[in-house]
Amino acid sequence: MTTLVWFREDLRLEDHPALHASAQSGKVVAVFLVAARQWASHDLGIHHAGFLGSNLTALAHDLGALGIPLEIVSAPRFRDAPQALFALAQTHGANAVAANEEYPLNERVRDSQVANYLRDRGIRFQLHSGSTILGPGQVLTGTGEPYTVFTPFRRRWTSHLDTNAVRPLPAPDSQGPPVVNALDTAALGLTETPISTQWPAGAAAAAQALAAFTHAAIRRYDRDRDIPSITGTSRLSPYLAQGVLSPRQCLHAALDANQGRLSGGEPGIETWISELVWRDFYRHVIALFPHVSRGEAFRPEADRVPWRNDPAELDAWQSGRTGYPLVDAAMRQLANTGWMHNRLRMVTAMFLTKHLLIDWRLGERHFMSHLVDADFPANNGGWQWSASTGTDAAPYFRVFNPITQAERFDPSGDFVRHYVPELAHTSAAATLAPWRHGVTGYPHPIVDHAFARTRALETYRKAR
Ligand SMILES: Cc1cc2nc3c(=O)[nH]c(=O)nc-3n(C[C@H](O)[C@H](O)[C@H](O)COP(=O)(O)OP(=O)(O)OC[C@H]3O[C@@H](n4cnc5c(N)ncnc54)[C@H](O)[C@@H]3O)c2cc1C
């Protein structure tokens, strides 16, 4: 029995249910399909692609050490996947194809087309649950409905795990002498970029980063996680997004550091586990509410907001020239590093949607194309939360004041000074509101906060 194990957003050997099950039942050939045109239509950018290329290189090496060959094939659109997989199955005499589930709509349509096509040709297609801690459908209300609010979801999620512990699966045993899996990332269009190489690739690097975080900083996470000038969060998101690390591995490491406790124990650890629950929650939303994958607001009434079409203001936001230093520093952090601190993702997303009243979908696309950790469920969830259009959305009348946010989370101005060289030599007070301190050479705010807040409240109120 030979199974093709189709790797997608799960570029690892450990805690890979499809690989684990397939290796137990016979020989395995690993497969990765490069869906360049489809990814472009999903707005995935060059840094994501570069990091993918590096992680695939590491995966090729890790698989080779276990004697597992890796086939990398171009299948530009998802609709090309069925034929590509069938051809590979024939080449390798495989009678099954296995993969871990992905939840966005296009991915699910692709998988059902693959299943039908292969079944008609005598090949089984098996899906396993491997990209969440608890899969969609495992956490439902008492009446069997999906949750649309996070806190009760988390309560149910915790009580489920309290009685049904999950353990990450080990890597499969070696299936023979080592093989060399060569790949040419440039030919595949997955060339590293200066930004993507800032993240050491591969499962060993990811495991090291997880161990370092859960050894120390996790204990201060509840206090440090909102301060962008320090490394107070794990920065594991690029590994989780491409599945170099599984969420169960993360949970397991956190539980080890917390005497096995999901709740209680160290506040820092409990808070961090809660972020892993957010990750699961947004995957449940994507799986159980397909309209969200079609670019629609989770709440239909939110699609009545008359978004402004203002290319100049959109450009000022994208390039970090709004005149609000915290917003600008955050947007430049994104441009320079391919990553942005969570607090600032909320601040910048609210600024675009509330201060500028520009459609959240334009911001969502900009983030997708620039983030190394681009992840459709988390990105869509974060944008809809910030724009007050989503499941657990911030109430529409919550409009973060970018100056107050800077006073609370960057009072020394260190973060702003690091990313906004025009303000590198100014006082802490001047980094909050340079126009009040006679700073020259830095833009004046493109919109007044009080005016923008009133305009947003009126517009949202009318739309409802
Ligand atoms: C507008 C907006 C867009 C976002 N886009 C993305 C995205 O494309 N990719 C992405 O991985 N996250 C996204 N997030 C969620 C969050 O900002 C990042 O996961 C986090 O900043 C990553 O840093 P970290 O690894 O240090 O996180 P930590 O604070 O250490 O958290 C650990 C892990 O939990 C998960 N996580 C944390 N917060 C969230 C959250 N709010 N929603 C879902 N998962 C979460 C991530 O996998 C993260 O790596 C977005 C949030 C907002 C508000």
Side-chain angles (χ1 to χ4, degrees), residues 204-218 236 245 253 257:
Q208 215 175 352
L210 173 63
F213 177 71
T214 51
H215 179 69
I218 195 172
L236 291 170
L245 198 59

Side-chain angles (χ1 to χ4, degrees), residues 48-118:
H48 174 272
F51 192 52
L52 182 61
S54 310
N55 284 319
L56 270 177
T57 304
L59 179 72
H61 174 270
D62 295 348
L63 285 165
L66 295 183
I68 300 176
L70 170 64
E71 291 269 15
I72 301 190
V73 170
S74 171
R77 292 265 176 199
F78 280 174
R79 63 169 178 261
D80 303 320
Q83 288 94 331
L85 289 166
F86 179 61
L88 284 166
Q90 283 194 308
T91 306
H92 292 279
N95 37 14
V97 176
N100 295 323
E101 246 176 310
E102 292 186 304
Y103 301 110
L105 189 58
N106 288 346
E107 281 75 355
R108 284 164 59 208
V109 169
R110 172 201 60 193
D111 285 352
S112 72
Q113 287 170 351
V114 164
N116 293 339
Y117 190 87
L118 294 180

Side-chain angles (χ1 to χ4, degrees), residues 133-134 159-168 248 251 255 262:
I133 295 169
L134 293 177
S159 69
H160 190 292
L161 281 176
D162 270 336
T163 46
N164 308 280
V166 292
R167 288 209 141 257
R248 288 185 177 196
L251 178 65
L255 289 175
L262 275 170

Side-chain angles (χ1 to χ4, degrees), residues 396-431:
Y396 76 92
F397 46 81
R398 184 185 296 165
V399 181
F400 283 172
N401 177 337
I403 304 172
T404 317
Q405 289 286 309
E407 274 166 355
R408 287 180 63 195
F409 302 114
D410 189 36
S412 62
D414 286 348
F415 181 80
V416 162
R417 278 193 216 92
H418 185 79
Y419 284 104
V420 183
E422 302 97 293
L423 301 176
H425 303 292
T426 52
S427 66
T431 64

Side-chain angles (χ1 to χ4, degrees), residues 340-351:
M340 191 195 287
H341 189 278
N342 178 60
R343 164 65 42 189
L344 304 179
R345 294 189 202 209
M346 295 190 285
V347 169
T348 54
M350 267 207 196
F351 189 85

Side-chain angles (χ1 to χ4, degrees), residues 221 233-237 240 272 275-276 278-279 282 339-342 345-346 349 367 371 373-375 378-379 382-383 386:
Y221 181 77
T233 68
S234 71
R235 299 176 65 97
L236 291 170
S237 49
L240 278 157
W272 195 66
E275 299 308 313
L276 298 176
W278 271 109
R279 187 180 175 282
Y282 284 138
W339 187 84
M340 191 195 287
H341 189 278
N342 178 60
R345 294 189 202 209
M346 295 190 285
F367 271 32
L371 284 168
D373 67 18
D375 178 78
N379 194 42
W383 273 96
S386 306

